[in-house]
């Protein structure tokens, strides 16, 4: 069961990659150290076709040249989603003016309730670098599969409310759309800011 | 008979006084519990919100937090965010026992009050009353500060 989730699988890939490369690491010539999980070469490059919170069609090309943080969640999520976005917001604050080189893309796993107007208000609550994106099935399933993200919607209660379970990973792509790092809800703003600063610097 | 009735009255008054002391405990000296850092993360529209706080049992006996309610929300539930190997979800929480001297932390990405069905508009800077209820029919009214969406 645990192998079906992206974090566990990525960790196994990372462990395997580490073991096989351990002997070569000293010769890599890279002196950058990362606080977050390094997913370079493990996770697919940024690619999608979605609708943004202003109702525009956007693709990965739209954000080329920006460091992109990709997160899957839903606006009716009261705790972990806004907590994660708040941490990303704090990380951006630490970057100062360089925050403009970053875009946080929040893909809703609940497109039925997360209409563009709702997503727009949600994005505005966190800051100008936040962009909420949506698509319907089967495109959403295909996108999630690309990043080994799983999600499921619960059964509605008497009031029609329902919850979702979803991956808590934040995938970070460099300005060329290459997957580089992965953060989680427990990652600190300082760690995220540190690593994103290195990516902005061309690491 | 009469004597018995009279002798009971002080006990009733004492019980009432204890109940009132407990209901209003907040940070009053000698109260069996105190709450700090009571806060709500604001989100737009009618989205469910999360409430967080630190509850310390300052009394000599265990306390059992059984739930919460508020006139500002149609439904208040105790929840816990759980991570199972990269998947994140929420599970309902029912009775939470707090030992004497122990502090129960409701914090982001953990235990939280899930606040649904706002009965009025809320904005950053507002204060919202929430009643925490304990076993034995006891309760405690706490003011929660409404913070911004990017609250840590």
């Amino acid at each position: 069961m645990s192998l079906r989730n992206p974090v566990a699988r990525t960790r196994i890939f990372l462990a395997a990659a580490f073991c096989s490369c351990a002997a070569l690491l000293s010769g890599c010539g890279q002196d950058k150290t990362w606080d977050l999980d390094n997913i370079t070469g493990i996770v697919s490059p940024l690619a999608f076709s979605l609708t943004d919170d202003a109702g525009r069609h956007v693709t990965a090309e739209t954000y080329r040249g920006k460091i992109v943080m990709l997160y899957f969640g839903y606006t009716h999520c009261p705790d972990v989603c806004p907590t994660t976005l708040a941490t990303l917001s704090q990380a951006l604050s630490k970057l100062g003016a360089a925050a403009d080189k970053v875009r946080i893309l929040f893909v809703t796993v609940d497109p039925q309730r997360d209409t563009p107007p709702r997503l727009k208000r949600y994005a505005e609550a966190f800051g100008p670098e936040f962009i909420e994106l949506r698509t319907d099935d089967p495109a959403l399933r295909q996108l999630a599969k690309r990043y080994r993200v799983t999600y499921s919607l619960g059964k509605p209660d008497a009031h029609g409310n329902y919850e979702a379970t979803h991956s808590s990973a934040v995938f970070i792509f460099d300005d060329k759309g290459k997957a580089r790092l992965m953060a989680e809800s427990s990652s600190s703003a300082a760690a995220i800011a540190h690593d994103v600063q290195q990516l902005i610097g061309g690491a | 008979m009469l004597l018995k009735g009279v002798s009971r009255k002080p006990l009733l008054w004492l019980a009432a006084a204890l109940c009132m002391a407990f209901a209003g405990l907040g940070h009053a000296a000698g109260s069996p519990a105190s709450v700090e850092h009571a806060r709500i993360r604001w989100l737009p529209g009618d989205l469910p919100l999360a409430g967080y706080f630190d509850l310390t049992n300052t009394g000599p006996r265990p306390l059992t937090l059984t739930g919460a309610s508020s006139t500002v929300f149609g439904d208040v539930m105790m929840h816990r965010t759980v991570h199972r190997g990269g998947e994140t979800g929420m599970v309902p929480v029912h009775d939470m026992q707090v030992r004497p001297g122990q502090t129960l932390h409701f914090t982001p990405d953990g235990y939280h009050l899930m606040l649904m069905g706002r009965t009025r508009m809320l904005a950053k800077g507002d204060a919202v009353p929430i009643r925490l209820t304990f076993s034995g029919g006891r309760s405690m009214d706490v003011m929660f500060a409404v913070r911004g969406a990017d609250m840590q």
Side-chain angles (χ1 to χ4, degrees), chain B residues 44-109:
Chain B
D46 58 354
L47 291 173
L49 305 178
Y52 308 105
F53 57 94
D54 297 323
L55 172 77
T56 301
N57 181 354
T58 55
R61 294 186 182 81
L63 271 177
T64 302
L65 179 65
T66 56
S69 62
S70 173
T71 55
V72 181
F73 298 99
D75 199 8
V76 181
M77 289 181 283
M78 295 198 294
H79 270 183
R80 183 183 189 184
T81 293
V82 289
H83 298 277
R84 289 197 184 97
E87 276 249 332
T88 301
M90 294 187 296
V91 293
V93 175
H94 301 292
D95 295 346
M96 298 192 71
Q97 197 177 76
V98 195
R99 296 189 306 274
Q102 186 190 8
T103 300
L104 180 63
H105 300 283
F106 272 56
T107 55
D109 202 12

Side-chain angles (χ1 to χ4, degrees), chain A residues 14-149:
Chain A
L14 282 172
F18 180 79
C19 291
S20 60
C21 292
L24 303 172
L25 276 178
S26 59
C28 284
Q30 289 281 345
D31 58 357
K32 298 291 184 195
T33 57
W34 303 102
D35 289 344
L36 306 173
D37 287 339
N38 187 346
I39 57 169
T40 305
I42 296 169
V43 172
S44 299
L46 192 64
F48 58 78
S49 175
L50 297 163
T51 302
D52 76 4
D53 48 40
R56 292 175 297 221
H57 174 249
V58 292
T59 67
E61 291 299 320
T62 310
Y63 306 102
R64 199 53 43 90
K66 302 288 186 187
I67 306 296
V68 167
M69 302 195 204
L70 180 70
Y71 181 70
F72 292 78
Y74 66 116
T75 68
H76 281 74
C77 164
D79 183 44
V80 71
C81 303
T83 296
T84 302
L85 297 184
T87 302
L88 299 181
S89 175
Q90 197 187 26
L92 292 185
S93 298
K94 291 177 185 296
L95 292 174
D100 186 49
K101 298 182 188 302
V102 181
R103 290 293 179 271
I104 292 155
L105 307 183
F106 176 104
V107 178
T108 178
V109 299
D110 184 18
Q112 191 178 342
R113 287 187 296 190
D114 284 339
T115 57
R118 185 189 288 281
L119 290 171
K120 187 165 179 58
R121 294 180 67 193
Y122 192 77
E124 286 169 354
F126 290 94
E129 302 87 0
F130 289 76
I131 298 155
E132 317 294 305
L133 304 173
R134 72 183 293 283
T135 188
D136 294 300
D137 279 336
L140 177 60
R141 289 273 169 208
Q142 287 167 356
L143 180 64
K145 191 177 175 187
R146 179 176 176 84
Y147 297 103
R148 302 187 203 119
V149 163

Side-chain angles (χ1 to χ4, degrees), chain A residues 4-20:
Chain A
R4 298 184 64 168
N5 73 70
V7 174
R9 287 203 301 197
T10 304
R11 284 202 171 133
I12 288 166
F13 278 117
L14 282 172
F18 180 79
C19 291
S20 60

